[in-house]
Amino acid sequence: MNTLLLDSDDVDEYALLADVIDAVEGAFGAFERGDTQMPAKSYIDLPQYNGDFRSMPAYLDTGEWDAAGLKWVNVHPDNPEDHDLPTVLGTMIYSDPETAFPLAIMDGTTLTMKRTGAAAAVATDYLAVEDASSLGLVGAGVQSYMQLEAISQIRPIEEVVVSDLDEDRVEHFVETYDDQFDVRGGSISEAGSCDVLSTVTPVEDPIVGLEDVGEHTHINAIGADAEGKHELADAVLEAARIVIDDHEQCTHSGEINVPYGEDVLTDADIHGEIGELVVGAKDGRTDETGITVFDSTGLAIQDVAAAHVVYKQASTDGAGHPFDMIGVGES
């Protein structure tokens, strides 16, 4: 038996977005049914290196397949300047739940990008208007590309408006997609008036106001991933049907963490978790629904679900680098 080593190119090729979206949707459903185990993310703080490690283990059973794994990820802000390395580096260990055999070790950074886009796509499918054809993006970093790639899988996106303070980023984004979509740079209000809006910035002072958003816009709030981060004005959240991925994470470090901590929002203002929509326990968008917000913090079950897709596709295709890591001999 061999363990499969899969680099970032392998993960990019075999994390087929349509399949990852389906797998992440299945993971959300399993979470709601209680068919997952997902201990809280644990941290190792390394102030002497201005960084930290986070471990994210999970197991899930969708009914059709089960899977287990661990993502080991860091945040070292000095890496780009001091070491010519990315700020965030992720490694995913994907294991057989029955035997604990390490089926694969794969790049977790690209995997995270894919599963984050997939989660937004799942939420968009349940919360955006059926004929949504325009997508706004606030922030033109790497995740903005994945938002477009994933959301266009489940809605007929034709028009894209991207807003960023960095004009070079906007120009690069437009050039990347100008042969596939009607894409242009624009203001936050122009992006916010689209049928779907994804915000992918690290800001702590809200930059999207209620006046910037259409009456029926669905918003994927992606950027807030730590306490104090906050992209959407309180008025937007107060007006919206709010759906979260996990109560503990979202109230601590998601888009709602600041207004929730200040009692501007309470549990009564949260419509439900995305898993409740997936299993049909709560409605997504109805005819009466106006603005909707999905607060996405990212769950370890999403990583395991995406890794399941990558391993299944890559092993079928004979990709990656197999090696006998634990010395049981080649199959």
Side-chain angles (χ1 to χ4, degrees), residues 188-190 192-193 207-215 233 235-236 291:
I188 289 176
S189 291
E190 289 173 302
S193 65
I207 55 176
V208 179
L210 186 58
E211 69 279 3
D212 297 316
V213 180
E215 292 183 1
V236 175
I291 299 167

Side-chain angles (χ1 to χ4, degrees), residues 199-218:
T199 58
V200 286
T201 73
V203 299
E204 295 188 1
D205 294 321
I207 55 176
V208 179
L210 186 58
E211 69 279 3
D212 297 316
V213 180
E215 292 183 1
H216 299 283
T217 297
H218 167 62

Side-chain angles (χ1 to χ4, degrees), residues 17 20-21 24 28 56 71 108-124 142-151 198-200 220-225 245 294-299 302-303 306:
L17 270 173
V20 175
I21 291 168
V24 167
F28 286 143
M56 299 174 64
K71 187 170 75 173
T109 306
T110 302
L111 192 79
T112 300
M113 290 173 54
K114 295 270 189 166
R115 62 81 151 152
T116 302
V122 172
T124 300
V142 292
Q143 182 55 219
S144 64
Y145 294 74
M146 198 54 60
Q147 290 291 306
L148 175 53
E149 296 281 354
I151 290 168
S198 288
T199 58
V200 286
N220 296 303
I222 307 297
D225 61 356
D245 57 11
F294 174 53
D295 186 352
S296 175
T297 57
L299 307 180
Q302 296 170 225
D303 297 302

Side-chain angles (χ1 to χ4, degrees), residues 4-313:
L4 199 58
L5 184 64
L6 298 162
D7 64 18
S8 57
D9 289 338
D10 294 323
V11 173
D12 186 43
E13 179 175 357
Y14 292 104
L16 305 176
L17 270 173
D19 294 336
V20 175
I21 291 168
D22 286 344
V24 167
E25 182 176 17
F28 286 143
F31 185 46
E32 175 59 26
R33 291 190 301 271
D35 294 329
T36 66
Q37 294 184 53
M38 188 172 59
K41 185 187 302 183
S42 62
Y43 291 80
I44 295 175
D45 191 29
L46 301 170
Q48 67 271 38
Y49 301 118
N50 188 27
D52 63 55
F53 286 109
R54 301 112 187 259
S55 64
M56 299 174 64
Y59 166 80
L60 67 144
D61 183 354
T62 68
E64 296 181 5
W65 50 268
D66 68 344
L70 166 72
K71 187 170 75 173
W72 179 243
V73 63
N74 75 292
V75 176
H76 281 60
D78 297 335
N79 268 1
E81 183 174 348
D82 293 352
H83 305 288
D84 196 27
L85 288 170
T87 298
V88 178
L89 296 163
T91 301
M92 185 75 193
I93 302 170
Y94 180 69
S95 301
D96 181 345
E98 182 178 3
T99 65
F101 187 84
L103 297 171
I105 298 173
M106 66 184 74
D107 169 58
T109 306
T110 302
L111 192 79
T112 300
M113 290 173 54
K114 295 270 189 166
R115 62 81 151 152
T116 302
V122 172
T124 300
D125 203 19
Y126 284 91
L127 293 168
V129 294
E130 285 291 334
D131 59 350
S133 60
S134 58
L135 172 65
L137 296 161
V138 176
V142 292
Q143 182 55 219
S144 64
Y145 294 74
M146 198 54 60
Q147 290 291 306
L148 175 53
E149 296 281 354
I151 290 168
S152 62
Q153 293 277 327
I154 50 86
R155 283 295 188 274
I157 301 299
E158 298 175 357
E159 178 187 1
V160 181
V161 181
V162 58
S163 180
D164 195 293
L165 294 175
D166 189 328
E167 294 183 4
D168 290 338
R169 281 186 170 187
V170 172
E171 182 178 353
H172 185 269
F173 187 95
V174 171
E175 289 176 352
T176 300
Y177 291 109
D178 63 359
D179 61 341
Q180 302 175 55
F181 302 94
D182 177 12
V183 56
R184 62 183 175 85
S187 66
I188 289 176
S189 291
E190 289 173 302
S193 65
C194 292
D195 297 321
V196 181
L197 171 67
S198 288
T199 58
V200 286
T201 73
V203 299
E204 295 188 1
D205 294 321
I207 55 176
V208 179
L210 186 58
E211 69 279 3
D212 297 316
V213 180
E215 292 183 1
H216 299 283
T217 297
H218 167 62
I219 305 170
N220 296 303
I222 307 297
D225 61 356
E227 187 175 359
K229 290 188 176 181
H230 191 18
E231 297 182 289
L232 310 178
D234 290 350
V236 175
L237 295 167
E238 290 175 305
R241 169 170 287 188
I242 300 171
V243 175
I244 61 180
D245 57 11
D246 175 70
H247 186 276
E248 182 176 354
Q249 287 193 185
C250 288
T251 55
H252 177 266
S253 58
E255 178 57 37
I256 65 172
N257 85 90
V258 174
Y260 189 89
E262 297 173 347
D263 294 326
V264 174
L265 296 178
T266 68
D267 287 345
D269 299 304
I270 300 171
H271 178 66
E273 294 185 346
I274 185 66
E276 294 179 280
L277 276 58
V278 170
V279 303
K282 290 190 177 177
D283 290 333
R285 175 171 291 276
T286 65
D287 292 341
E288 295 77 29
T289 308
I291 299 167
T292 55
V293 169
F294 174 53
D295 186 352
S296 175
T297 57
L299 307 180
I301 54 171
Q302 296 170 225
D303 297 302
V304 174
H308 169 77
V309 172
V310 173
Y311 176 73
K312 182 179 178 181
Q313 297 288 344

